[in-house]
Amino acid sequence: MFLWLASLLFASSALTRDNFIRTAEQLIELGLSELGYEYVNMDEWWSAAEIGRDNKTLRLRHNEETFPGGLKSVADDVHELGLKIGIYADSGTYTCGKRSGSLYYEEIDAMTWDEWCMDYVKVDNCNIPETWAQDLWNGCHPDYDRPWGQNGTCADMTRQPPEWWNWKWSSQKVRHDRMRDALAKLNRTIVLSICNWGQAHVEQWGNETAVSWRMTDDIDANWVRIIEILAYNTFYLNYVDFWGHNDMDMLQIGNGNLSLAEARTHFSLWAALKSPLLISTPLEDLSERELAILKNKDLIDFNQDPIFGKPATPYKWGTNPDWTYNKTFLAEFYAGQSSQGFLVLMFNPFNNTEFKVANWGEVPGLPGGFSYWVKNMWSGEDIGCMERVSMQVGPHDTAVLLVGGKCSAP
Ligand SMILES: *[C@@H]1O[C@H](CO)[C@@H](O)[C@H](O)[C@H]1NC(C)=O
Ligand SMILES: *[C@@H]1O[C@H](CO)[C@@H](O)[C@H](O)[C@H]1NC(C)=O
Ligand SMILES: *[C@@H]1O[C@H](CO)[C@@H](O)[C@H](O)[C@H]1NC(C)=O
Ligand SMILES: *[C@@H]1O[C@H](CO)[C@@H](O)[C@H](O)[C@H]1NC(C)=O
Ligand SMILES: *[C@@H]1O[C@H](CO)[C@@H](O)[C@H](O)[C@H]1NC(C)=O
Ligand SMILES: *[C@@H]1O[C@H](CO)[C@@H](O)[C@H](O)[C@H]1NC(C)=O
Ligand SMILES: *[C@@H]1O[C@H](CO)[C@@H](O)[C@H](O)[C@H]1NC(C)=O
């Protein structure tokens, strides 16, 4: 089975060899690695500033101050711990932080990471030369404040391509495929995760290029932004299955001022929609309760199910009519199938506690009119044999039920 969980040390001056190895050790000590968080990834800032490439070999150079001895030795230490290592690159001339980019150097860079024994690469989208930005249409994107039509489609016709256009022809795909092809020539498996912020309708071609593709501009440790990203993603779930994932961006649990209920919603939906699960907070600062959220084994098992690759999808919006795109009042009822049964989620977008009912007959694929064994995935409680489940769901919280086998009538 392929795992796409990971723990990520986000871009910052805190990215040093010692902190990186310490994070790997913490993944083990905190019991996260045994649940599947097996990649330790670095973002921006690992490479040398200014003259980022060696002027003879043209290879990228590491930052000797923060990574004395280079990255191969870091990879060796991470592998020694039984974990995998991820690096960061950019598909333009420079990274977002003005280090050397990989455009036109894809093969050299892929070979360098191969020699360094890397297992994963995130490829960013900053500083793209004019010649590579010639598509007339960048696609519809909520971050660009365009008006929205039904089903989350873009209603601004001035930016819409003609009917014959296929997003697979976009220069974005051609550019990101260069790195895919360079990695494919290696004997080593280096997983490609692309980050073009959802542009050029990446979900329509991402699966031919990478194992995950970022769907939006950057996330933020902020409730409004988290549910906005969720609202957008609910319209693009048909593109997700084994080996290909809409990346809803890194988990913000532990950052900002998210309440525990908000953190539960964030983790429940990111796991259920089969986004990569990338922790991005200093692990030592997580509270017991935040850590417990990241360690919800039932949700991780759903995210990583070996038999069912499809994500949970909305089966009912709730407040608004089905398929209404609304950043605040998005879909509230979701379900998906797994080896264990059906996962049913009930999300409460309101600021006060709501009474919510899960009716099995409404869940696609689950025959109604029967009773099923039900477990509450957040409390761990076996609710027993139920014809339906009615629950109080707190403000911004999400109830997650595992609906198991049919039980005979009581
Ligand atoms: C090439 O790199 C070396 C070592 O970093 C440096 O001493 C030299 O000045 C560079 N040459 C040019 C032409 O930039
Ligand atoms: C919205 O999407 C749903 C599900 O794919 C579909 O049944 C419905 O026809 C769509 N509505 C429009 C206006 O495209
Ligand atoms: C991959 O392995 C094969 C067989 O061991 C070898 O001939 C080839 O040179 C290797 N390719 C690279 C890029 O290392
Ligand atoms: C994505 O590609 C893989 C093969 O790499 C395939 O198994 C999977 O079904 C594809 N996903 C979708 C949604 O078509
Ligand atoms: C959390 O942070 C946001 C944005 O910084 C702020 O608007 C909000 O009031 C804060 N909420 C709490 C409960 O502190
Ligand atoms: C979102 O839905 C709510 C509840 O139906 C509605 O009051 C609000 O106007 C909607 N927002 C937009 C931007 O349509
Ligand atoms: C919840 O409260 C916040 C802050 O008072 C407000 O901005 C927001 O619109 C409220 N959300 C809902 C769904 O009522």
Side-chain angles (χ1 to χ4, degrees), residues 239-297:
Y239 299 99
V240 181
D241 204 337
F242 284 117
W243 315 107
H245 301 269
N246 290 344
D247 180 352
M248 294 161 70
D249 207 356
M250 294 178 281
L251 296 166
Q252 296 303 312
I253 295 156
N255 302 336
N257 62 6
L258 295 182
S259 68
L260 284 172
E262 290 166 348
R264 271 191 295 273
T265 291
H266 187 17
F267 192 73
S268 302
L269 273 308
W270 262 238
L273 270 48
K274 304 215 175 184
S275 172
L277 299 174
L278 298 141
I279 301 170
S280 68
T281 198
L283 295 176
E284 67 270 17
D285 294 345
L286 283 167
S287 70
E288 290 275 314
R289 291 158 96 188
E290 287 167 337
L291 185 61
I293 290 171
L294 293 167
K295 291 175 74 172
N296 186 311
K297 189 170 179 331

Side-chain angles (χ1 to χ4, degrees), residues 387-404:
E387 265 180 72
R388 75 183 65 77
V389 170
S390 314
M391 291 181 73
Q392 303 278 2
V393 182
H396 301 183
D397 210 344
T398 295
V400 186
L401 305 171
L402 177 64
V403 185

Side-chain angles (χ1 to χ4, degrees), residues 5-144:
L5 294 159
S7 173
L8 193 136
L9 191 69
F10 191 53
S12 77
S13 53
L15 181 60
T16 62
R17 185 185 210 288
D18 288 350
N19 283 349
F20 194 79
I21 298 296
R22 179 81 201 110
T23 300
E25 289 165 350
Q26 284 169 332
L27 277 181
I28 295 167
E29 287 157 18
L30 294 172
L32 288 161
S33 62
E34 64 192 7
L35 289 166
Y37 293 98
E38 61 170 358
Y39 288 87
V40 196
N41 299 347
M42 58 188 80
D43 220 80
E44 182 74 87
W45 315 123
W46 63 266
S47 55
E50 293 164 25
I51 314 164
R53 288 185 185 276
D54 183 289
N55 57 24
K56 286 213 180 64
T57 64
L58 298 179
R59 288 164 55 129
L60 284 170
R61 295 185 302 123
H62 65 275
N63 180 337
E64 183 61 26
E65 244 166 66
T66 50
F67 285 96
L71 293 185
K72 168 72 164 67
S73 81
V74 180
D76 288 347
D77 288 359
V78 169
H79 290 145
E80 189 73 23
L81 292 167
L83 300 172
K84 294 177 178 161
I85 181 167
I87 199 164
Y88 167 97
D90 187 89
S91 62
T93 317
Y94 294 101
T95 66
C96 306
K98 289 274 149 55
R99 266 70 178 160
S100 294
S102 294
L103 186 62
Y104 306 128
Y105 295 94
E106 290 87 355
E107 296 208 354
I108 290 177
D109 291 353
M111 285 191 295
T112 306
W113 301 326
D114 183 8
E115 266 174 51
W116 292 351
C117 298
M118 293 294 144
D119 303 300
Y120 174 114
V121 62
K122 166 183 168 178
V123 176
D124 219 336
N125 209 45
C126 280
N127 301 304
I128 311 305
E130 277 289 301
T131 47
W132 284 96
Q134 283 173 347
D135 285 350
L136 290 176
W137 319 284
N138 258 334
C140 204
H141 203 281
D143 298 307
Y144 307 136

Side-chain angles (χ1 to χ4, degrees), residues 177-251:
D177 280 354
R178 293 170 62 92
M179 185 57 83
R180 174 199 65 185
D181 295 344
L183 293 171
K185 287 183 185 156
L186 307 174
N187 283 334
R188 185 177 188 80
T189 301
I190 301 182
V191 170
L192 175 60
S193 157
I194 61 173
C195 173
N196 78 336
W197 315 307
Q199 291 175 2
H201 272 291
V202 64
E203 72 282 351
Q204 293 179 18
W205 48 268
N207 200 38
E208 291 177 11
T209 304
V211 301
S212 69
W213 45 89
R214 270 276 299 284
M215 288 294 284
T216 58
D217 222 332
D218 292 355
I219 197 172
D220 192 12
N222 158 337
W223 173 247
V224 171
R225 179 73 185 135
I226 286 169
I227 60 167
E228 181 180 299
I229 289 176
L230 176 58
Y232 180 71
N233 274 273
T234 55
F235 289 94
Y236 298 105
L237 294 168
N238 285 344
Y239 299 99
V240 181
D241 204 337
F242 284 117
W243 315 107
H245 301 269
N246 290 344
D247 180 352
M248 294 161 70
D249 207 356
M250 294 178 281
L251 296 166

Side-chain angles (χ1 to χ4, degrees), residues 314-316 333-335 344 346 357-369:
Y315 65 85
K316 191 167 75 172
F333 298 87
Y334 301 77
V344 176
M346 297 189 286
V357 184
N359 275 315
W360 311 144
E362 291 175 349
V363 175
L366 191 62

